[in-house]
Amino acid sequence: MAMVEFWYEFASTYSYPAALRVAALAAERGVALAWRPFLLGPVFATQGWRDSPFNIYPAKGRYMWRDLERICAARGLPFRRPEPFPQNSLLAARVALALDGDDRAGFSRNVYAAEFGEGLSIADRALIVRLVADLGLDPEAILARAESDANKSKLKSECARAIALGVFGAPTLATEDGELFWGDDRLEQGLDWAAGGGG
């Protein structure tokens, strides 16, 4: 079975609609999906950016927010812009990385729904605790694992791996043959590529 890595950042706007549909799209094509949370901050730093390009370039930012509104409306997804933007996604990323398989995917979808569906702050520890508990897991144990030195180092390694792969934004699909497909609007193309064995 072909496998695709789904690289996503919790502060990423377009990762919201992508995260809510990528698993179903992959299953339809018989493609295994690996959920890979990472941070865009280190990636942006390599490009000389200290903020989201959507903030650095106001016209691009205005377009993005309107575009996201249209996408969510078309798919029947709730949308509420979180403030501030981008959100501090460090704790959420650490928790996601401390989870495996369906738990990681479920937690990740729930984070996006809370952040962009309800406009809640994902930097709020109480919210993260609730989202972990909603999965039927022990928040205290998961948070302890998430904030361990080993897991912190793992997240740094994941960010370095994303940069090494050439990931420059989120969401990005990375196929086994080294192809990258960036954006919610490239999910089908990337998964079709993987399912068909590449070009």
Side-chain angles (χ1 to χ4, degrees):
M1 176 183 286
M3 194 277 290
V4 168
E5 293 180 339
F6 174 59
W7 290 87
Y8 59 102
E9 147 76 85
F10 285 115
S12 161
T13 52
Y14 288 110
S15 291
Y16 165 46
L20 298 189
R21 70 193 192 105
V22 66
L25 293 175
E28 287 171 5
R29 292 159 174 79
V31 174
L33 195 65
W35 290 69
R36 306 302 292 264
F38 76 115
L39 300 173
L40 276 172
V43 176
F44 289 165
T46 66
Q47 301 175 60
W49 296 341
R50 297 181 59 129
D51 197 354
S52 166
F54 294 126
N55 289 339
I56 295 171
Y57 306 105
K60 189 172 187 174
R62 286 191 297 273
Y63 175 85
M64 176 276 294
W65 288 117
R66 182 61 190 132
D67 191 39
L68 192 61
E69 287 176 352
R70 290 192 301 255
I71 289 170
C72 291
R75 297 182 191 168
L77 296 177
F79 173 71
R80 188 169 173 187
R81 181 173 171 171
E83 294 291 350
F85 174 80
Q87 291 275 296
N88 182 334
S89 58
L90 180 59
L91 179 59
R94 285 175 175 168
V95 170
L97 201 58
L99 299 170
D100 295 309
D102 290 342
D103 288 335
R104 180 182 292 177
F107 172 77
S108 298
R109 285 189 291 263
N110 290 347
V111 169
Y112 281 118
E115 179 185 14
F116 292 107
E118 300 179 60
L120 301 178
S121 170
I122 61 169
D124 180 359
R125 189 180 183 87
L127 172 64
I128 297 300
V129 165
R130 176 170 67 78
L131 296 179
V132 171
D134 286 347
L135 296 173
L137 302 173
D138 178 359
E140 187 174 328
I142 298 302
L143 267 291
R145 188 189 313 164
E147 295 180 316
S148 68
D149 288 342
N151 197 61
K152 290 177 181 178
S153 295
K154 184 178 179 183
L155 181 57
K156 289 179 182 176
S157 296
E158 288 293 282
C159 295
R161 183 163 182 270
I163 292 170
L165 286 173
V167 173
F168 59 88
T172 293
L173 292 181
T175 63
E176 292 177 293
D177 60 353
E179 293 288 337
L180 298 179
F181 297 85
W182 169 56
D184 170 67
D185 58 346
R186 291 293 181 269
L187 295 184
E188 289 89 347
Q189 184 183 10
L191 292 167
D192 286 344
W193 178 280

